[in-house]
């Protein structure tokens, strides 16, 4: 009984009063609590200030009088707002809500629906804030960049240095153009020389003649001469090096031959004297510096070539590619035959002239001139032995492979050329691809860029009506005039 009275006392501030004849039983007390549990038990937990009593009913011979406590509804007071301090008076906490927002909420004013102008105004304010943040970030980046410049972590060219580089680039481009004219004039002089000037004819090897030159369309001759680079020649080197000139007729139109030779992927098919090549520097759209490597030839080890190459187009569609040995800071020369790096050799001067055959416009005349030095410590007798072994074979094999592959790929070559002609380049330059792989160098211009002598090349003949020659209208439009005028314009 004491335990029951104790449990009941936990639910109220005052005591429960129980009276019965003979004393109430525990079960009746439990029933009485259960009947009032939904009402009194749920309301007995909070601290209550005022209660009323209520009598219970009498069952059987016993009556139980239970005082049921009933809570009065308390008066609820809301805290007031101090707008100046931004804090709530009374109990509670301030969670960082703006004071004006709280004052509006306490005033009980009805909420106004936001319109489009308010939303746009807030969006603009947010954008202004973001712009200020980005401006601050930009200034911080500039400050950090300036600090790195002072510390030497990065290097940035000034406007003056950039202008100097542009001027230097233009100067080098003009120098390459002047040098190409000088080399072309030198090549024309070489072609005009005869056996009286020291040229000795080279015959194709008898055991290979039937396969390499069955119709005898290829001619070759050789002459030993000193460094032919003019003012750039090595004055201390008085040795003579081989210069070979050769010419052959290709059984395909000029445009197809030029397009085939311009393909970098086709180089291994006709020239096995260049095993690797890469572009070093572009000087202008029509001139570049190239690096190439040759395999070991007899007892001459692998060689490295660094060469300046230049190309242009004549009015009749002929292509001229000239070259000269060059020095570049990124590829220092090596003269050590025993070193791991390939020894430097020199394609001193050379020219490749691809023109239409005067006797048959459906054929092409390909003329090559190459003057080179093996470099290193190769003695004269060893160099002559290698040349005498290669001269009767390599030029004839080169022309035979070119002739074979051009004829096999002629339809594809014409389609590729017609696609290239759909693009126009400014500055009187041709979009036709150009290039060739020769002994000692390989240079390619897949996107064109060569200067056109008369400003316009003859129209490419279609495959169906392939005459190989421009029409009379095209000749007048292209300006097939005095060749002397071409040299002045170039």
């Amino acid at each position: 009984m004491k335990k029951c009275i104790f449990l009941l006392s936990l639910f109220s501030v005052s005591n429960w009063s129980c009276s019965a004849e003979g004393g109430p039983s525990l079960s009746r007390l439990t029933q009485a609590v259960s009947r009032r549990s939904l009402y009194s038990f749920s309301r007995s937990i909070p601290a209550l200030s005022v209660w009323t009593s209520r009598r219970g009913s009498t069952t059987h011979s016993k009556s139980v009088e239970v005082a049921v406590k009933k809570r009065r509804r308390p008066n609820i007071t809301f805290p007031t707002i101090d707008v100046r301090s931004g804090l709530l008076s009374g109990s509670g906490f301030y969670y960082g809500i703006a004071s004006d927002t709280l004052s509006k909420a306490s005033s009980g004013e009805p909420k106004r629906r936001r319109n489009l102008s308010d939303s746009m105004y807030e969006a603009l304010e947010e954008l202004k804030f973001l712009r200020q943040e980005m401006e601050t970030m930009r200034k911080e980046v500039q400050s950090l960049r300036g600090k790195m410049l002072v510390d030497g972590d990065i290097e940035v060219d000034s406007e003056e240095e950039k202008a100097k580089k542009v001027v230097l680039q233009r100067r080098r481009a003009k120098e390459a153009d002047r040098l190409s004219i000088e080399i072309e004039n030198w090549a024309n002089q070489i072609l005009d020389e005869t056996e009286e000037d020291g040229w000795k004819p080279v015959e194709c090897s008898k055991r290979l003649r039937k396969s390499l030159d069955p119709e005898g369309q290829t001619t070759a001759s050789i002459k030993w001469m000193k460094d032919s680079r003019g003012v750039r020649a090595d004055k201390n080197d008085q040795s003579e090096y081989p210069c070979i000139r050769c010419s052959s007729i290709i059984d395909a139109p000029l445009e197809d031959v030029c397009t085939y030779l311009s393909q970098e992927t086709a180089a291994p098919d006709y020239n096995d004297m260049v095993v690797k090549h890469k572009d070093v520097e572009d000087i202008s759209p029509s001139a570049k510096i190239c690096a190439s490597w040759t395999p070991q030839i007899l007892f001459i080890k692998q060689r490295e070539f660094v060469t300046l190459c230049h190309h242009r187009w004549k009015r009749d569609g002929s292509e001229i590619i000239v070259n000269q040995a060059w020095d570049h800071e990124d590829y220092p020369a090596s003269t050590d035959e025993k070193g791991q790096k390939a020894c430097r050799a020199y394609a001193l001067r050379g020219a490749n002239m691809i023109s239409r055959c005067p006797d048959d416009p459906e054929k092409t005349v390909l003329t090559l001139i190459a003057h080179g030095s093996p470099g290193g410590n190769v003695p004269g007798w060893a160099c002559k032995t290698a040349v005498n072994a290669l001269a009767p074979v390599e030029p004839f094999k080169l022309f035979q492979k070119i002739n074979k592959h051009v004829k096999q790929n002629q339809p594809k070559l014409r389609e590729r050329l017609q696609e290239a002609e759909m693009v126009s380049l400014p500055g009187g330059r041709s979009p036709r691809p150009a290039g060739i792989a020769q002994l000692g160098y390989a240079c390619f211009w897949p996107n064109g860029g060569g200067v056109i002598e008369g400003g316009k090349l003859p129209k490419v003949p279609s495959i169906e009506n392939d005459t190989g020659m421009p029409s009379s209208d095209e000749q007048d439009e292209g300006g097939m005039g005095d060749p002397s005028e071409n040299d002045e314009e170039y």
Side-chain angles (χ1 to χ4, degrees):
M1 185 63 182
K2 292 180 179 181
K3 295 181 180 180
C4 180
I5 294 174
F6 175 74
L7 291 173
L8 292 173
S9 65
L10 295 176
F11 300 102
S12 66
V13 177
S14 60
N15 296 331
W16 289 73
S17 61
C18 303
S19 63
E21 297 178 0
S25 64
L26 180 62
S27 61
R28 288 188 177 277
L29 291 174
T30 304
Q31 292 175 2
V33 173
S34 299
R35 285 194 298 269
R36 303 295 181 179
S37 61
L38 181 62
Y39 179 80
S40 61
F41 179 73
S42 61
R43 298 175 179 273
S44 62
I45 294 177
L48 304 177
S49 58
V50 181
W51 299 85
T52 59
S53 63
R54 185 177 183 181
R55 293 182 179 273
S57 60
T58 304
T59 308
H60 301 289
S61 62
K62 301 177 181 180
S63 63
V64 179
E65 185 180 35
V66 180
V68 180
K69 301 176 182 179
K70 184 177 181 181
R71 184 185 62 178
R72 292 179 180 178
R73 180 173 296 177
N75 295 327
I76 301 176
T77 59
F78 292 93
T80 60
I81 301 169
D82 187 356
V83 178
R84 291 174 298 174
S85 60
L87 299 176
L88 293 175
S89 62
S91 61
F93 299 92
Y94 176 54
Y95 291 99
I97 304 176
S99 58
D100 56 348
T101 304
L102 291 175
S103 61
K104 291 179 180 178
S106 62
S107 62
E109 296 178 358
K111 295 183 179 179
R112 186 171 59 89
R113 180 176 296 179
R114 297 166 59 87
N115 53 27
L116 181 60
S117 60
D118 294 339
S119 301
M120 291 296 295
Y121 175 78
E122 293 181 2
L124 291 175
E125 291 295 327
E126 290 291 335
L127 289 176
K128 290 180 181 179
F129 176 76
L130 290 176
R131 183 178 180 181
Q132 294 176 356
E133 290 292 327
M134 293 177 65
E135 182 67 19
T136 303
M137 185 180 297
R138 186 182 67 85
K139 292 180 179 180
E140 292 178 357
V141 171
Q142 288 182 349
S143 177
L144 179 60
R145 182 170 176 266
K147 184 178 182 301
M148 295 177 67
L149 286 173
V150 174
D151 297 340
D153 295 337
I154 58 176
E155 297 180 0
V156 178
D157 297 334
S158 62
E159 294 297 331
E160 183 178 357
E161 291 177 349
K162 291 180 180 179
K164 289 181 179 179
K165 287 185 177 181
V166 172
V167 173
L168 180 61
Q169 186 73 14
R170 292 178 179 176
R171 187 180 302 170
R172 297 185 65 187
K174 291 182 179 180
E175 181 183 1
D177 292 339
R178 289 193 297 266
L179 183 60
S180 66
I181 297 176
E182 179 183 339
I183 298 174
E184 188 174 342
N185 294 333
W186 168 83
N188 290 328
Q189 293 178 3
I190 293 295
L191 294 177
D192 293 337
E193 293 182 354
T194 61
E195 294 183 10
E196 297 179 356
D197 298 313
W199 290 93
K200 296 181 179 180
V202 177
E203 299 291 338
C204 181
S205 176
K206 292 183 179 180
R207 58 189 181 87
L208 300 175
R209 187 174 301 169
K210 290 184 179 180
S211 59
L212 299 181
D213 189 24
E215 300 180 3
Q217 297 185 129
T218 302
T219 60
S221 57
I222 191 171
K223 178 183 178 180
W224 292 78
M225 59 178 67
K226 297 179 182 180
D227 194 339
S228 58
R229 289 179 290 178
V231 295
R232 293 180 175 270
D234 186 359
K235 306 301 181 181
N236 298 324
D237 187 5
Q238 298 299 320
S239 301
E240 292 185 346
Y241 302 104
C243 179
I244 186 168
R245 65 179 184 184
C246 49
S247 180
S248 183
I249 297 177
I250 308 299
D251 300 326
L254 170 64
E255 293 79 12
D256 298 339
V257 177
C258 294
T259 305
Y260 173 76
L261 294 176
S262 68
Q263 299 180 106
E264 187 175 354
T265 56
D269 296 336
Y270 64 87
N271 190 345
D272 52 9
M273 288 295 180
V274 175
V275 295
K276 181 183 176 182
H277 66 89
K278 65 182 299 184
D279 293 344
V280 177
E281 180 183 354
D282 289 331
I283 298 178
S284 70
S286 57
K288 62 174 57 180
I289 299 176
C290 308
S292 305
W293 290 264
T294 60
Q296 180 170 345
I297 302 174
L298 299 179
F299 41 78
I300 300 178
K301 296 182 179 181
Q302 185 183 32
R303 288 294 190 265
E304 177 191 62
F305 292 80
V306 177
T307 312
L308 170 67
C309 302
H310 184 282
H311 82 288
R312 76 178 185 97
W313 299 89
K314 300 183 71 174
R315 290 188 179 184
D316 59 356
S318 301
E319 181 184 4
I320 299 177
I321 303 175
V322 296
N323 69 278
Q324 180 167 300
W326 209 256
D327 294 326
H328 198 276
E329 57 184 4
D330 294 341
Y331 290 83
S334 174
T335 58
D336 187 7
E337 293 281 358
K338 298 181 180 179
Q340 295 182 352
K341 183 180 179 181
C343 186
R344 175 63 57 85
Y346 303 91
L348 298 173
R349 267 190 178 179
N352 306 272
M353 302 178 180
I354 312 171
S355 58
R356 205 177 307 276
C357 181
D359 300 330
D360 189 350
E362 292 296 317
K363 297 183 179 180
T364 304
V365 177
L366 177 57
T367 303
L368 309 180
I369 301 174
H371 184 206
S373 167
N377 300 323
V378 179
W381 64 267
C383 183
K384 290 184 178 181
T385 301
V387 170
N388 293 335
L390 296 176
V393 178
E394 290 302 326
F396 300 91
K397 183 173 66 174
L398 178 71
F399 289 123
Q400 186 270 338
K401 288 185 176 181
I402 293 175
N403 191 25
K404 173 184 175 183
H405 289 286
V406 170
K407 291 191 295 184
Q408 290 179 352
N409 298 279
Q410 189 171 349
K412 295 181 179 179
L413 296 173
R414 186 60 57 86
E415 292 177 1
R416 180 180 179 185
L417 180 58
Q418 290 176 346
E419 292 177 358
E421 290 290 339
M422 297 175 65
V423 180
S424 60
L425 298 180
R429 298 185 181 274
S430 171
R432 290 188 183 182
I436 194 171
Q438 248 247 44
L439 176 62
Y441 66 91
C443 55
F444 302 96
W445 292 269
N447 299 321
V451 176
I452 307 174
E453 202 172 52
K456 185 175 182 180
L457 290 173
K459 186 178 179 181
V460 180
S462 61
I463 300 177
E464 294 79 5
N465 300 321
D466 192 355
T467 61
M469 289 294 289
S471 62
S472 58
D473 296 337
E474 293 170 353
Q475 290 178 1
D476 295 337
E477 186 177 0
M480 299 285 288
D482 187 1
S484 60
E485 297 178 358
N486 302 343
D487 296 337
E488 292 178 0
E489 292 178 3
Y490 180 68

